[in-house]
Amino acid sequence: MSSTIETVFSARRSVRRFADRPVERATLEQLMQLATTAPSASNKQPWRFVIVRDRAVIRAMAEAVRGEVAAVLAHMDESGREAFRAYGEYFTRFEAAPCVIAPTCRPTPILSQLVSATIDPALRERVIAMERTSATVSTALAMENLLLAAPQLGLGASALTGPLLAAHALRELLRVPGSWELLALIAVGYPDEEPRKTERKPVDAVLRWIDGDDAND
Ligand SMILES: Cc1cc2nc3c(=O)[nH]c(=O)nc-3n(C[C@H](O)[C@H](O)[C@H](O)COP(=O)(O)O)c2cc1C
């Protein structure tokens, strides 16, 4: 295997501390150029990215998330609260970033528009679910491209879905149209930390093989 790909993969870490330095628009354009080379179902590129560099908006987003974390905490007993308090702080770890990118996606109704009303409703549901998942997976691939490209441009980044607790408020702040789904936030900036490598499960523990007779190893 090419060592280049290992180098690129191992340079990616979730960076959550950032230098107090804005990220230039040209650098972000380059980052998004690389992100959007991702494959997508039927090459529909069902993604749009909201790029926020306004600190006041980022603060308001974090405030909205903190409010929802507090609302969740209010419905836990003391042991749950203890466990969630530290975890919940990770939901606002985009606040110190000079840039937050919000990936959004919208299913492309190809099949669902072609089938007639005679289709079994359960099959129609699966068609719609397939289209929704196709948009989500395509956009997640662009997100991974972004995360891998960031360190190559001198940037640090981390994906966050915890903030989706406040999805309704974030959608409003980011002016995400109703038909678009907000998938995550990605904090981006020049890194002010070198995060340690995180552990992975042994690969054998996450595989299940279904081999045919011709598998001869
Ligand atoms: C879908 C997804 C959601 C995540 N959500 C959060 C989050 O809300 N807050 C956070 O601080 N990190 C979040 N992370 C970062 C993970 O904690 C991190 O990827 C994991 O601990 C492995 O560390 P590494 O990225 O440095 O390899 C998220 C990562 C992914 C892929």
Side-chain angles (χ1 to χ4, degrees), residues 12-14 16 90-91 93 158-163 195-196 198 200:
R12 191 210 57 77
R13 294 274 192 288
S14 287
R16 301 185 179 90
Y90 278 83
F91 291 16
R93 293 297 294 271
S158 57
L160 301 94
T161 50
R196 270 181 297 132
T198 50
R200 291 296 181 269

Side-chain angles (χ1 to χ4, degrees), residues 20 22 35 45 51 59 69 75 88 107 114 125 130 161-162 172 176 184 205:
D20 187 16
Q45 303 158 58
I51 302 180
R59 262 197 308 276
V69 168
H75 292 275
L114 293 177
E125 276 310 303
M130 178 275 282
T161 50
E172 213 163 286
V176 176

Side-chain angles (χ1 to χ4, degrees), residues 101-184:
I101 299 178
T104 70
C105 69
R106 183 172 63 172
T108 316
I110 304 175
L111 259 192
S112 57
Q113 292 220 325
L114 293 177
V115 294
S116 72
T118 56
I119 191 172
D120 168 11
L123 180 52
R124 175 186 293 282
E125 276 310 303
R126 289 198 295 279
V127 166
I128 291 170
M130 178 275 282
E131 289 177 342
R132 202 169 38 236
T133 303
S134 298
T136 307
V137 170
S138 302
T139 309
L141 293 173
M143 287 174 58
E144 172 69 342
N145 269 14
L146 189 165
L147 296 175
L148 290 171
Q152 306 303 315
L153 300 175
L155 297 167
S158 57
L160 301 94
T161 50
L164 296 179
L165 276 187
H168 59 304
L170 297 179
R171 295 178 65 92
E172 213 163 286
L173 285 163
L174 301 172
R175 301 194 302 277
V176 176
S179 52
W180 290 79
E181 192 182 348
L182 175 63
L183 286 188

Side-chain angles (χ1 to χ4, degrees), residues 29 44 55 65 71 76 88 93 101 104 127 129 201 214:
E29 281 171 352
K44 290 296 179 190
R55 299 264 193 186
V65 175
M76 283 182 184
R93 293 297 294 271
I101 299 178
T104 70
V127 166
K201 295 171 184 169
D214 53 349

Side-chain angles (χ1 to χ4, degrees), residues 22-36 47-58 61 94 97-104 146 153 155 170 173-176 182 184-189:
V23 185
E24 311 77 9
R25 189 183 176 115
T27 308
L28 290 166
E29 281 171 352
Q30 204 181 350
L31 182 68
M32 297 319 297
Q33 190 69 50
L34 292 164
T36 55
W47 47 61
R48 295 289 182 276
F49 300 88
V50 184
I51 302 180
V52 188
R53 290 191 295 171
D54 183 330
R55 299 264 193 186
V57 173
I58 294 173
M61 291 162 66
F94 61 90
C99 175
V100 173
I101 299 178
T104 70
L146 189 165
L153 300 175
L155 297 167
L170 297 179
L173 285 163
L174 301 172
R175 301 194 302 277
V176 176
L182 175 63
L185 297 180
I186 305 176
V188 178

